[in-house]
Amino acid sequence: LQRRPMTSSLVLLLTTTVLTATNHVALVHAQQRQQQPLQPLGDVLHLILDTDKNSKVTMLEVNSQMTMLESLFQNNGGEGSEQADEYRRIVKGVRSWAPSIFALLDSNGDDGLTKRELQYATKFEKSLKKKKNEGGMRDFLGTVFDLLDENGDDSLSVTELLEGSANSDIIRKATVEFHKLFPLRNSPNELKDFVKGTIESIGGNTLDEESVAKGIAYLDDDGDGSISRKEVGKYYSVAGKKFIEVSTQIKQVGPMMAMFSGMDMGEREL
């Protein structure tokens, strides 16, 4: 049987609802069900991304969803729409980092993410909500900042960043702290090897002062060529708030989107 256009349009509409959060009816519906807590982020992501419902998410499924979202915003967002443009940037950023994030979460290396492995998305979200000295991402970034800040002036120069990224001892210490937050491997050493491999895959050996300077420019509010602890804290807060905002939208409407997406997949097989 041919796939029915009406169902495809419905899926497209629901996807738009998830990412733009402009469907008032869906939000009211979520508010009316406040007595039922939202599902954890990792569970909802697994529900959405596991399109063939075999209990594992593959990189092919992730790419498929990214392609669908890019097409959605290209055709329905409208040029000049600030919100649509913002989500286009988010999708573009997620796509570029998706292979590295997927490999990081794939703790057993079987090229498929289970619901248990995607629980780290939930843990990451929770770590963003923790305040200073509560053992979350804010504290982890503070520790990494201290490791890189060789002269202790509360500012990271291009030289400190360049030398720190190539310092095996700093990488080891940072990895130990990261492993405490997210034990994605059996030991910190295994995670350290992964981190080093990721750095190399994005051009670790070609890193130079010019590329580092360009990389930190968006954090350098005062234009002094370095990034202060205050500047890092500011952009951490902005990024963390945006992540929590988007993840909340996904948790609110994601299960409904996955349900209709599953119906659509069933029709394609007829």
Side-chain angles (χ1 to χ4, degrees), residues 4-260:
R4 289 179 293 196
M6 182 178 296
T7 303
S8 299
S9 298
L10 181 59
V11 172
L12 191 62
L13 174 62
L14 290 170
T15 306
T16 306
T17 300
V18 173
L19 294 171
T20 63
T22 57
N23 190 322
H24 180 67
V25 175
L27 293 179
V28 170
H29 180 66
Q31 291 170 356
Q32 290 175 342
R33 300 178 60 195
Q34 285 181 354
Q35 71 276 15
Q36 299 181 10
L38 297 174
Q39 294 184 50
L41 177 61
D43 289 359
V44 176
L45 287 175
H46 190 271
L47 193 64
I48 296 171
L49 295 173
D50 181 24
T51 56
D52 63 4
K53 307 306 175 188
N54 70 344
S55 298
K56 285 192 176 184
V57 174
T58 66
M59 194 63 218
L60 184 64
E61 288 173 314
V62 173
N63 284 331
S64 175
Q65 295 293 73
M66 291 297 99
T67 299
M68 181 272 294
L69 293 177
E70 287 174 339
S71 177
L72 170 68
F73 288 124
Q74 181 179 353
N75 297 322
N76 295 275
E79 292 299 328
S81 168
E82 184 176 343
Q83 189 175 52
D85 288 344
E86 180 182 9
Y87 281 114
R88 287 190 191 98
R89 289 192 293 269
I90 292 175
V91 172
K92 184 178 179 180
V94 170
R95 179 183 278 281
S96 66
W97 280 100
S100 295
I101 295 173
F102 187 97
L104 180 63
L105 294 175
D106 186 17
S107 57
N108 62 1
D110 68 347
D111 296 324
L113 300 182
T114 63
K115 184 181 290 187
R116 181 176 180 179
E117 287 171 324
L118 277 169
Q119 285 179 358
Y120 282 102
T122 303
K123 293 181 179 180
F124 179 73
E125 181 190 28
K126 290 180 177 179
S127 75
L128 290 175
K129 296 179 179 180
K130 292 185 177 181
K131 299 178 181 178
K132 189 175 181 180
N133 298 322
E134 290 184 351
M137 276 298 295
R138 185 178 294 275
D139 291 338
F140 169 71
L141 287 180
T143 297
V144 174
F145 192 101
D146 291 338
L147 290 172
L148 294 170
D149 186 17
E150 187 176 356
N151 61 9
D153 67 348
D154 273 348
S155 184
L156 300 180
S157 66
V158 170
T159 299
E160 285 175 323
L161 289 166
L162 186 60
E163 293 179 352
S165 65
N167 187 309
S168 60
D169 190 50
I170 288 178
I171 292 176
R172 179 186 62 80
K173 290 177 179 178
T175 303
V176 168
E177 295 302 316
F178 186 77
H179 188 265
K180 290 178 183 178
L181 267 180
F182 311 109
L184 290 154
R185 300 290 185 273
N186 292 326
S187 70
N189 189 58
E190 291 178 71
L191 194 55
K192 177 186 173 184
D193 292 339
F194 172 83
V195 170
K196 288 176 65 177
T198 301
I199 292 174
E200 291 173 0
S201 73
I202 58 176
N205 293 330
T206 63
L207 226 55
D208 54 28
E209 289 191 9
E210 183 180 358
S211 61
V212 173
K214 288 181 179 179
I216 67 172
Y218 77 101
L219 296 173
D220 185 16
D221 285 344
D222 58 15
D224 66 352
S226 62
I227 50 175
S228 67
R229 190 182 295 272
K230 183 178 180 180
E231 288 169 334
V232 172
K234 171 188 173 181
Y235 283 96
Y236 166 78
S237 296
V238 170
K241 182 180 179 181
K242 176 56 64 177
F243 183 94
I244 292 171
E245 187 179 296
V246 173
S247 67
T248 300
Q249 294 170 13
I250 291 173
K251 289 186 293 183
Q252 285 175 335
V253 198
M256 183 169 61
M257 171 189 163
M259 179 180 69
F260 281 96

